[in-house]
Amino acid sequence: MTKPSLPELLHAAVTAVGGTERPGQVTMAQAVADAVDDGSHLLVQAGTGTGKSLGYLVPALAHGEPVVVATATLALQRQLVERDLPRTVEALHPLLRRRPEFAMLKGRSNYLCLHRLHEGMPQDEEEGLFDQFEAAAPTSRLGQDLLRLRDWSDETETGDRDDLTPGVSDRAWAQISVSSRECLGASKCAYGAECFAEAARERAKLAEVVVTNHALLAIDAIEGAPVLPQHEVLIVDEAHELVSRVTGVATGELTPGQVNRAVRRAAKLVNEKAADQLQTAAEGFERLMELALPGRLEEIPEDLGYALAALRDASRTVISAIGGTRDKSVQDEDAVRKQALASVESVHDVAERIMQGSEWDVVWYERHEPRGGSAYRPAGASLRVAPMSVSGLLREKLFTDRSVILTSATLKLGGDFNGVGASLGLAPEGTEGEDVPQWKGVDVGSPFDYRKQGILYVAKHLSRPARDGDRADMLDELTELIRAAGGRTLGLFSSMRGAQLAAEELRTRIPEFPILLQGEETLGELIKNFAADPATCLFGTLSLWQGVDVPGPSCQLVVMDKIPFPRPDDPLMSARQKAVEEAGGNGFMAVAATHAALLMAQGAGRLVRATGDRGVVAVLDPRLATARYGSYLKASLPDFWYTVDGGQVRRSLTAIDAVAKQGE
């Protein structure tokens, strides 16, 4: 039997998922196949609607070597594992004459821990474990969540948090899960043979395709202890998110609450002298954190240095003491000891890292406002340390011994791939040299006719945005645009304060158009309600820029209040910008403009999600039309028809609204 061609395989897969073969998808599949065959690296920009999942899955499966696919969002992971992979494998099976296995793999804390469920969880104030199910009032939200989790544990085959519908609060999940540092290990745990996390790892070892997330990919790269199975091909989808996710994993944090928790957990497991030493160090650190002022610490102040040294040394003493003492009076001592060690080691490692003062790290102090909801956070302060850049780490750890395919709808910024490539540790395309990863950038386009389907409008007549300043003319413009569009507006604001002020003002001005605001409901509920009522508007900030997929008439106007440059006082971004300038580069363009271009491209991508979509992307910041960097930002956006004529745009929106109403 002759080997099936790539076009045959792609046609079979597209037919199986009920899709339509598109030229961009064919181009992408061939480019991926070529890169995999010769072991090279590829950056592929594939616009919305290209069908990029099949564009990389089909050639990867045809190659027959182990593949890891890493994505940024749960939605795409689910699509791959529940829809695309099962159908593609079935479609290709007769042609390939084999049935590739696939599996999902996440970090350990994403799986229910049977030991913690059955034996209880260590509590900070007393010895041993306590039964969290008895301790929580059954009428409370926490109690109800825990009871649901206990019932679910008897039914679930995976123990995966994301398979629990509806979900539970972070607080509830934390009581029945463990981090990798807290885990006893399968050989020492009474429930090791039934462990959900271990079962997921075993499935991944046997699978040809493993679907994971950027965070686990980062842990695999950074920590040196492999958590992903061996693979010949790495495919990074939603690759525009990779740098920020890797930075997040590589960032350390130290808070008074975290330190005090470590003190409480260790107190009953060590001798009094060691416990008192850590307690004293914690009190000194907490006092200093109450006095410190927010901002970057280019040098560690002397008093903070003493406090961190005391924490580091006391933590080291406690770690040794925990390892050298046993107390049989402590219930399930191994679990209590493991959690205490995890807490103290975290304090030690971050304190030591900050003390080392590496020129490649950025340290800053941050104050937190309280936050409610499922991601509850009390008011307080923290010390944070993050890498100045992750490009060197990615170049060293990612682009060796395997072919790497990176894909997204937004990788080509300012007209080329070099900006994103640089953030990934890649030299400009075509650069030759030893230890220089060779790569190619391919833009396979989009099935949408952006110039016919959308308008890019820049409100050139408005005043320039001032930081935290009132923009009455911007609100006037926004009001008129929403009226012309008949609602149907996604408002993307560069700050939560800006979104809140605009929502409050416009709810008074145009009450006939309901305005939903991020934070007032869960994101899922907001998007559902926004899609259900065309007259509705949805206002939010950065997390909405990439999270909304509402094709059709409910989203025909996407508004950006201003160019989303990083805040001038953002410690990490400003440090990165300064480093580029000191190396002789243009820090503003390399850091701030690239950051803004990526967010704007993602935001503009919310408008056209299907071939029948029509509408306007309105940028209410004149700098896009007047500043020198404006052309770079515009070149990063879809190729919409461009205008600065507000009257013409309002007439177009009115016409689009009228057509939409006829179809309702």
Side-chain angles (χ1 to χ4, degrees), residues 206 361 381 656:
L206 299 173
D361 272 342
I656 293 168

Side-chain angles (χ1 to χ4, degrees), residues 253-264:
E253 184 177 37
L254 207 53
T255 70
Q258 171 195 356
V259 174
N260 289 329
R261 194 157 49 247
V263 171
R264 292 194 299 269

Side-chain angles (χ1 to χ4, degrees), residues 8-93:
E8 284 180 274
L9 294 170
L10 186 60
H11 177 74
V14 170
T15 303
V17 301
T20 304
E21 207 167 289
R22 297 194 162 124
Q25 187 182 56
V26 175
T27 302
M28 178 178 180
Q30 189 60 60
V32 171
D34 292 344
V36 169
D37 286 343
D38 64 22
S40 61
H41 309 305
L42 179 71
L43 272 64
V44 187
Q45 176 160 294
T48 305
T50 301
K52 68 179 186 302
S53 299
L54 294 187
Y56 59 70
L57 285 178
V58 171
L61 289 168
H63 188 65
E65 299 292 344
V67 179
V68 167
V69 180
T71 79
T73 63
L74 171 63
L76 183 53
Q77 288 172 46
R78 280 192 172 280
Q79 178 189 315
L80 288 170
V81 172
E82 296 177 6
R83 179 177 180 269
D84 293 348
L85 273 166
R87 295 182 186 182
T88 302
V89 165
E90 285 304 312
L92 300 189
H93 173 231

Side-chain angles (χ1 to χ4, degrees), residues 56-139:
Y56 59 70
L57 285 178
V58 171
L61 289 168
H63 188 65
E65 299 292 344
V67 179
V68 167
V69 180
T71 79
T73 63
L74 171 63
L76 183 53
Q77 288 172 46
R78 280 192 172 280
Q79 178 189 315
L80 288 170
V81 172
E82 296 177 6
R83 179 177 180 269
D84 293 348
L85 273 166
R87 295 182 186 182
T88 302
V89 165
E90 285 304 312
L92 300 189
H93 173 231
L95 296 170
L96 294 176
R97 303 183 75 178
R98 59 186 173 84
R99 193 187 303 273
E101 295 290 327
F102 56 89
M104 174 104 75
L105 184 61
K106 302 176 184 177
R108 191 171 291 273
S109 62
N110 289 280
Y111 300 97
L112 182 149
C113 172
L114 291 169
H115 182 279
R116 184 160 284 187
L117 179 85
H118 293 299
E119 305 299 333
M121 64 177 293
Q123 60 180 341
D124 298 337
E125 310 300 341
E126 300 173 18
E127 296 178 354
L129 306 180
F130 78 102
D131 189 325
Q132 62 273 49
F133 300 98
E134 290 181 5
T139 54

Side-chain angles (χ1 to χ4, degrees), residues 542-589:
L542 296 181
S543 61
L544 277 183
W545 291 66
Q546 299 172 65
V548 178
D549 184 10
V550 183
S554 288
C555 183
Q556 295 185 330
L557 172 61
V558 174
V559 177
M560 304 183 206
D561 69 328
K562 60 183 178 181
I563 298 170
F565 292 123
R567 290 174 62 94
D569 59 358
D570 182 306
L572 188 54
M573 288 294 190
S574 58
R576 287 174 171 175
Q577 191 164 318
K578 182 178 178 183
V580 173
E581 289 164 358
E582 288 175 349
N586 186 326
F588 172 78
M589 291 302 296

Side-chain angles (χ1 to χ4, degrees), residues 488 514 516 524-538 550-551 553-555 664:
R488 312 179 191 275
L516 307 174
E525 281 296 307
L526 288 172
I527 294 172
K528 177 182 170 185
N529 294 334
F530 175 54
D533 180 8
T536 297
C537 304
L538 172 57
V550 183
S554 288
C555 183
E664 290 172 5

